[in-house]
Amino acid sequence: MMTLKLKKTLATVVLATLATLADAAPNAPTFADDPAAIEFARDLEQRHGFNADAIISQFAQTRPNAKVLQLIKPPTSPLQRSWERYRPRFLNDRRIDGGVRFWQENSAQLAKAQALYGVPAEIIVSIIGVETEYGRNTGGFRVLEALATLAFNYPPRAEFFRTELEQFLLLSRENGLDPLAVKGSFAGAIGIPQFMPGSQRRYAVDFDGDQRVDLGNSVDDAIGSVGHFLEQHGWQAGQPIAVPALTSGTPDAALTQAGIRPSLKVGELAEKGIRAEIDPETTAALIDLVSPGRETEYWLGFDNFYVITRYNRSSFYAMSVFQLAEEIRSRMCAQQATTATNREKYCRA
């Protein structure tokens, strides 16, 4: 007799299979029937020496993915920005404890990346923790299908995703990958650090010395690539990231609207009632972490905060990375500060 547990397991498998089939839209025309996709393949043949027929053959095994289109579109009734709601997604014991384990297991490579690129180990750990929970959730979408869906069926960002589709096919050729087999996020991000194909080609590094870059399976390559990405985007070793700001009333909206790139002198902000413990000659951005129904939290973000937003252009994202990194380092300090060397490595002065 079939047990209840087995029945539930089979039901789950059946539902997952049906969902996959629905997303893939098996009765929909393939991209090999799309004139824009065919033109794209011919263009790659002219500019990069691809075999257009081979690309079209791959497109013949790829259809528009409804789930990808659902996930990429803004919600019809957008929620108000809420730091109070956003923060716990990443600032929680599971990710902090996971970050401590990840640091302990990869301490040598993290130290190497910090020395080479100037990026603190905890920032590299935190980005990987926020992106994929240390490699646990790297995405289950076929990257070719996701990128083609967005390149040919999502007009608002078609140009960007056509460029990324081109980069993905170049990446696959350079690394001997089967484009149909690579899995990633619904937007086409790949591997442990979730690099888009263009970023992988520009910034990923072979950090484990095996003569290939493998962000899907090599933690070492992921660590080195995150460090290199941030360094190439202007990370300043030993410089601050962000500090809390005290305000006298609600700051002038023009100060937050000045943008996330530092452009305001700390001393000038102080004259406008916004104070922080930092050199007044430092240039900063005023970051507002809003939560409906609660008092807005203000921070000053510096150049390194802006660099984190090059990974994901959101102040909430960058602050989550920064605060998760601080929590991980604090817990590492509490656990590892048994020697002077470890105190210097893990603990704030």
Side-chain angles (χ1 to χ4, degrees):
M1 181 179 289
M2 186 179 294
T3 66
L4 180 60
K5 182 177 181 180
L6 182 56
K7 286 180 180 178
K8 288 182 177 178
T9 301
L10 289 173
T12 300
V13 170
V14 169
L15 288 172
T17 301
L18 289 174
T20 300
L21 290 173
D23 292 342
N27 295 322
T30 71
F31 285 109
D33 301 310
D34 186 331
I38 295 171
E39 181 182 354
F40 174 85
R42 301 295 183 205
D43 179 58
L44 292 193
E45 182 174 68
Q46 291 296 316
R47 291 192 296 112
H48 297 298
F50 279 99
N51 182 320
D53 290 338
I55 294 176
I56 294 168
S57 176
Q58 292 165 349
F59 282 160
Q61 302 173 64
T62 310
R63 291 177 168 84
N65 187 304
K67 186 68 172 179
V68 166
L69 292 172
Q70 177 187 337
L71 290 170
I72 198 71
K73 290 178 181 177
T76 53
S77 299
L79 294 171
Q80 287 181 287
R81 293 176 70 235
S82 173
W83 175 239
E84 183 182 31
R85 187 171 57 244
Y86 185 95
R87 186 179 187 274
R89 293 166 53 189
F90 306 109
L91 272 291
N92 54 58
D93 284 337
R94 189 180 75 247
R95 286 191 201 254
I96 295 168
D97 291 340
V100 169
R101 287 193 299 273
F102 186 87
W103 196 342
Q104 291 170 338
E105 291 166 1
N106 301 283
S107 60
Q109 290 297 74
L110 286 162
K112 174 185 170 184
Q114 180 169 321
L116 189 59
Y117 302 120
V119 180
E122 66 268 24
I123 292 294
I124 297 174
V125 172
S126 182
I127 283 180
I128 293 173
V130 167
E131 289 293 334
T132 62
E133 203 167 337
Y134 314 106
R136 289 177 57 187
N137 306 310
T138 58
F141 291 88
R142 289 199 302 168
V143 171
L144 181 66
E145 182 172 270
L147 290 175
T149 296
L150 296 170
F152 305 120
N153 289 75
Y154 188 59
R157 299 190 67 193
E159 183 177 353
F160 170 78
F161 284 109
R162 287 190 191 197
T163 298
E164 288 299 332
L165 178 58
E166 176 182 336
Q167 293 294 310
F168 174 66
L169 291 169
L170 288 166
L171 177 70
S172 298
R173 183 172 69 178
E174 291 162 357
N175 290 277
L177 304 174
D178 176 2
L180 291 165
V182 180
K183 298 287 186 69
S185 77
F186 72 87
I190 300 169
I192 297 166
Q194 292 290 275
F195 273 24
M196 291 298 289
S199 287
Q200 182 164 336
R201 291 189 71 231
R202 286 189 293 273
Y203 305 114
V205 295
D206 170 24
F207 214 58
D208 59 14
D210 68 352
Q211 307 306 310
R212 62 192 294 264
V213 175
D214 183 2
L215 298 186
N217 300 290
S218 172
V219 172
D220 291 358
D221 287 357
I223 287 169
S225 296
V226 171
H228 185 239
F229 177 96
L230 295 176
E231 184 260 348
Q232 288 292 297
H233 282 82
W235 189 272
Q236 298 178 11
Q239 295 303 304
I241 298 171
V243 296
L246 297 175
T247 62
S248 301
T250 302
D252 184 342
L255 297 176
T256 54
Q257 292 168 3
I260 203 168
R261 188 166 203 158
S263 63
L264 309 166
K265 289 289 186 182
V266 171
E268 295 171 357
L269 288 170
E271 293 173 2
K272 298 178 180 181
I274 302 162
R275 293 177 172 80
E277 295 295 326
I278 200 75
D279 182 348
E281 289 302 310
T282 305
T283 303
L286 182 61
I287 308 300
D288 59 334
L289 304 178
V290 300
S291 296
R294 296 180 66 88
E295 189 173 337
T296 297
E297 193 175 320
Y298 291 99
W299 288 68
L300 297 188
F302 307 113
D303 286 327
N304 284 342
F305 187 86
Y306 176 74
V307 170
I308 296 172
T309 68
R310 301 307 87 194
Y311 213 104
N312 182 314
R313 301 189 180 200
S314 158
S315 59
F316 280 11
Y317 174 88
M319 189 58 70
S320 293
V321 167
F322 172 57
Q323 292 190 3
L324 178 59
E326 293 292 286
E327 292 290 342
I328 292 169
R329 174 180 274 278
S330 176
R331 201 160 294 185
M332 285 289 285
C333 173
Q335 294 183 14
Q336 304 290 326
T338 54
T339 66
T341 299
N342 278 1
R343 284 192 294 274
E344 181 180 353
K345 184 177 181 180
Y346 300 117
C347 303
R348 295 294 181 199

